[in-house]
Amino acid sequence: MTTQSALGIDIGGTGIKAAPVDLTTGQLLTEPHYFPTQPSSPDMIARAIRGIVTNLNWRGPIGCGYPGVIKNGVALTAVHLSKEWLGLNVGEVLGRQVGREVAAINDADAAGVAELRFGAGKDCGPEDIVLMLTLGTGIGSALFAGRTLVPNTEFGHVYIESTEAEELAAASVRTRDELSWEAWGQRVNRYLAEMEKLLSPDLIIIGGGVSENFELFQPFLSTRPPVFPAMLGNNAGIVGAALWAVERK
Ligand code: BGC
């Protein structure tokens, strides 16, 4: 028998979202539970997640997206989180609180996995290079070659004319600096042009909360490959984390 549902958790730089997901359709089975990431120490986040698991009385598989590099389960970076995460096995830290195994994956990789399965990348062919970029507090990336994930790409940290991409084009920068959609869209376009130059993708998927406002900045994008908004919107990370709980390699 295959597992039909899993709890997906998405730890973001600003908030943590979680919901049970139907793994056959990619639909959330409840509205996402949300709480702020701050304070972002391992202990505080693990306790908050335990609260959700207890609340839902969840007994099935659990997957979690983490906003940094995850290598063999261990957090190697923590740009927008407490540095206490560095070197910790994320699944183990969370698993100790919730009393069961938790599978951890980079948050943008999770969003990409979900979009390839159920969303904007579902019809991609075996030869296609697909780049997913999540524009949120920071910028996350997921790269797929022939539908296979190349994990832990960190394209939010490339430099464009001496400015880090996250500092140029994250969604948080638009609100922080009160940029118009046009001014910000042009920045995103510069960033995408650089990614196109480096990777020659066949498709670019834009995720994060801004995917819901895609039509406001799409007019300023001029890359050769098509650019689509994440079809699962800001829930892609939750759905991908849930898939990871049962499908991780
Ligand atoms: C981190 C990435 C993460 C992204 C989005 C970046 O600062 O380095 O690992 O995917 O933020 O959360």
Side-chain angles (χ1 to χ4, degrees):
M1 207 186 83
T2 54
T3 312
Q4 298 294 321
S5 59
L7 181 64
I9 301 166
D10 184 9
I11 303 177
T14 310
I16 300 172
K17 297 176 292 201
V21 176
D22 180 327
L23 298 178
T24 57
T25 63
Q27 302 286 322
L28 303 197
L29 295 169
T30 66
E31 283 296 304
H33 290 59
Y34 178 89
F35 48 95
T37 307
Q38 301 303 332
S40 65
S41 66
D43 193 47
M44 293 306 280
I45 289 185
R47 281 168 195 271
I49 288 173
R50 182 180 65 185
I52 293 184
V53 173
T54 309
N55 227 312
L56 287 165
N57 195 18
W58 186 258
R59 295 178 193 285
I62 305 176
C64 178
Y66 169 87
V69 173
I70 294 280
K71 199 82 183 158
N72 301 321
V74 173
L76 298 189
T77 65
V79 180
H80 301 283
L81 293 185
S82 156
K83 301 291 175 253
E84 285 173 61
W85 282 97
L86 295 175
L88 295 184
N89 185 303
V90 173
E92 275 173 26
V93 169
L94 303 179
R96 266 198 295 279
Q97 281 288 343
V98 303
R100 79 188 48 226
E101 211 189 330
V102 175
I105 178 175
N106 170 266
D107 58 349
D109 284 347
V113 163
E115 285 295 322
L116 252 80
R117 177 68 56 83
F118 299 113
K122 70 176 183 306
D123 297 323
C124 280
E127 307 278 302
D128 287 339
I129 303 294
V130 181
L131 175 65
M132 166 124 193
L133 296 168
T134 59
L135 308 180
T137 311
I139 294 182
S141 59
L143 183 68
F144 296 84
R147 304 192 68 88
T148 300
L149 173 68
V150 180
N152 289 312
T153 56
E154 286 283 327
F155 295 133
H157 300 295
V158 298
Y159 277 76
I160 293 149
E161 293 161 25
S162 73
T163 305
E164 194 177 26
E166 275 200 346
E167 191 46 41
L168 182 77
S172 60
V173 172
R174 188 188 70 80
T175 36
R176 185 196 68 195
D177 296 350
E178 298 178 0
L179 299 175
S180 65
W181 285 105
E182 176 170 359
W184 183 74
Q186 281 163 354
R187 288 177 175 214
V188 174
N189 193 44
R190 270 164 67 201
Y191 175 44
L192 297 189
E194 188 67 19
M195 289 295 98
E196 181 184 352
K197 192 170 83 191
L198 296 174
L199 299 168
S200 300
D202 297 290
L203 169 67
I204 300 175
I205 305 172
I206 302 290
V210 284
S211 54
E212 278 142 34
N213 295 112
F214 187 65
E215 72 290 350
L216 298 178
F217 60 96
Q218 182 187 31
F220 312 109
L221 308 182
S222 61
T223 41
R224 181 198 52 82
V227 183
F228 291 151
M231 273 170 69
L232 305 173
N234 213 9
N235 291 335
I238 299 177
V239 175
L243 283 169
W244 195 248
V246 297
E247 295 184 6
R248 80 199 120 141
K249 309 287 177 314

